Amino acid sequence: MPTTPSPEEILDHVKARESEILDLCSELVAIESPSPDATATRRVLDRLTSELDDLGYRYHLSKPGKSGGFLYARPAHRPRHEPSQLLLGHVDTVWPLGTLGSRPWSVEDGVARGPGVFDMKAGIAQILFALRAVQDLDLDPPATPLVFINSDEEIGSRESVSAIDRLSRVASRAFVCEPGLGSSGAMKTARKGLAKYTVTVDGRAAHAGLDPDGGASAILELSSVIQRLFDLTDRERDITVNVGTIEGGIQANVVAPWSQAVVDVRVLTPEDAANVDAAIRSIEPQTPGTSISVTGGFGRPPMVRTERNAALFGQARRIGNSLGMDLQEVTAGGGSDGNTTSQHTATLDGLGIIGDGAHAPSERIDLRNLAPRTALLAALIVEPLNGTRRSEL
């Protein structure tokens, strides 16, 4: 039987194609893809289909909606009812069309810059070239690698979450190629759950000078509600509640008949999610003549550090050691599609590139880590499964 290449040999193979990986990163960055633009994000997904063709993958593009849809791909030839593993990424960015005009793609002193390269177009390139390495080296993964790439992750994955949920229920594990955290590229075995609420106060309009007592100020009531919302923050339990935007009223000489606040909530545990949700929904008005309504909730449940997530990180750490990496694990305050997959299967997040400046003009990647992180992903794809081998759909 042929000898399975070591992680070091996989790395040597990936290094030989490093310039191709960087070329693909450049090409993907050049296709600007802000989340709200379905046409723009679809162009990136369409571009990726040729890469999947070269890999011998069959793919399905969902119909565009408010987003450009999602891309799901699997090998054209594979035994039925074999275990599967998910490789996840997203093509949408936070940057509006035209950002390239002021921040063009550049490579200098081992650093590549460009809108979306760190979060997370380099991660998409890593997925594709990790799969290329697996094929080129004739490696035999214990579970079929499936690729899922969406175009609405930055805005909550509302149109793709049901597909991610369905796939993660049958996958034996999931690798999320969001960028690593910090200068060490720490991996995420846990993430906070995220909720967004809209709190609306209805009052009663009146002339502020002639009949101030005839009105019921929705703004006055909202000011009280805001204080009560912020009071739900609990630093000891790492619960944060933030009122991010407010609006309301008609004009200065009218008692405000309406006001509204949009609230961001982040928690570590399902129990805290349930408690904070109940507290927000039970807020009662204190200003006579006003009423309160609450919409929204948790779009991404907490990604808890489960035993299976920890075991998957243990495999990554061992491989990383052989590649000269001292991998660390963290709990992240932001959410990702890993919050969804982790509800059902072993999940390791943050497998993407090391860099800095997510959602910032300083966005960049460290090219010294491009090949090693790609090789790490390739080696993980062929690692034995931990626990139950689930059957594919």
Side-chain angles (χ1 to χ4, degrees), residues 172-238:
S172 295
R173 60 191 179 196
F175 297 121
V176 184
C177 292
E178 291 275 0
L181 187 65
S183 60
S184 67
M187 296 186 177
K188 303 143 191 177
T189 52
R191 283 182 177 271
K192 283 188 174 183
L194 279 72
K196 179 180 177 181
Y197 295 91
T198 300
V199 179
T200 303
V201 180
D202 289 308
R204 185 171 60 251
H207 193 291
L210 299 178
D211 188 23
D213 294 333
S217 175
I219 288 179
L220 174 61
E221 176 58 29
L222 184 63
S223 68
S224 170
V225 170
I226 289 170
Q227 293 298 318
R228 284 176 278 168
L229 288 168
F230 275 112
D231 285 344
L232 295 175
T233 292
D234 186 335
R235 296 296 184 185
E236 289 186 2
R237 298 188 64 82
D238 214 359

Side-chain angles (χ1 to χ4, degrees), residues 46-83:
D46 287 339
R47 170 62 186 86
L48 295 177
T49 60
S50 63
E51 299 294 324
L52 293 163
D53 280 333
D54 290 344
L55 285 167
Y57 268 58
R58 290 179 179 169
Y59 57 83
H60 165 73
L61 280 164
S62 71
K63 291 182 179 180
K66 292 182 179 179
S67 74
F70 61 79
L71 175 62
Y72 166 65
R74 61 194 300 170
H77 304 291
R78 58 177 295 268
R80 292 178 61 108
H81 306 301
E82 286 296 309

Side-chain angles (χ1 to χ4, degrees), residues 36-266:
D37 193 321
T39 301
T41 54
R42 187 69 170 203
R43 282 196 291 267
V44 191
L45 294 177
D46 287 339
R47 170 62 186 86
L48 295 177
T49 60
S50 63
E51 299 294 324
L52 293 163
D53 280 333
D54 290 344
L55 285 167
Y57 268 58
R58 290 179 179 169
Y59 57 83
H60 165 73
L61 280 164
S62 71
K63 291 182 179 180
K66 292 182 179 179
S67 74
F70 61 79
L71 175 62
Y72 166 65
R74 61 194 300 170
H77 304 291
R78 58 177 295 268
R80 292 178 61 108
H81 306 301
E82 286 296 309
S84 65
Q85 54 188 324
L86 274 175
L87 307 176
L88 284 89
H90 66 87
V91 298
D92 59 318
T93 77
V94 299
W95 304 109
L97 294 178
T99 302
L100 275 171
S102 58
R103 289 171 46 210
W105 169 261
S106 68
V107 178
E108 186 177 3
D109 297 330
V111 173
R113 293 180 169 84
V117 66
F118 180 56
D119 189 11
M120 60 159 289
K121 290 182 176 179
I124 300 295
Q126 288 174 264
I127 289 173
L128 295 168
F129 277 87
L131 291 173
R132 285 184 185 275
V134 170
Q135 288 191 1
D136 291 347
L137 295 170
D138 198 26
L139 304 180
D140 185 21
T144 301
L146 308 178
V147 177
F148 188 93
I149 299 172
N150 59 3
S151 63
D152 62 346
E153 192 277 341
E154 295 288 4
I155 52 176
S157 302
R158 291 178 178 85
E159 293 184 343
S160 58
V161 67
S162 60
I164 296 170
D165 183 88
R166 180 172 58 87
L167 289 169
S168 61
R169 287 177 184 272
V170 295
S172 295
R173 60 191 179 196
F175 297 121
V176 184
C177 292
E178 291 275 0
L181 187 65
S183 60
S184 67
M187 296 186 177
K188 303 143 191 177
T189 52
R191 283 182 177 271
K192 283 188 174 183
L194 279 72
K196 179 180 177 181
Y197 295 91
T198 300
V199 179
T200 303
V201 180
D202 289 308
R204 185 171 60 251
H207 193 291
L210 299 178
D211 188 23
D213 294 333
S217 175
I219 288 179
L220 174 61
E221 176 58 29
L222 184 63
S223 68
S224 170
V225 170
I226 289 170
Q227 293 298 318
R228 284 176 278 168
L229 288 168
F230 275 112
D231 285 344
L232 295 175
T233 292
D234 186 335
R235 296 296 184 185
E236 289 186 2
R237 298 188 64 82
D238 214 359
I239 298 169
T240 59
V241 179
N242 180 65
V243 178
T245 64
I246 58 173
E247 57 181 325
I250 298 174
Q251 56 188 39
N253 62 354
V254 179
V255 176
W258 171 86
S259 64
Q260 191 172 85
V262 179
V263 187
D264 177 275
V265 178
R266 301 184 185 232

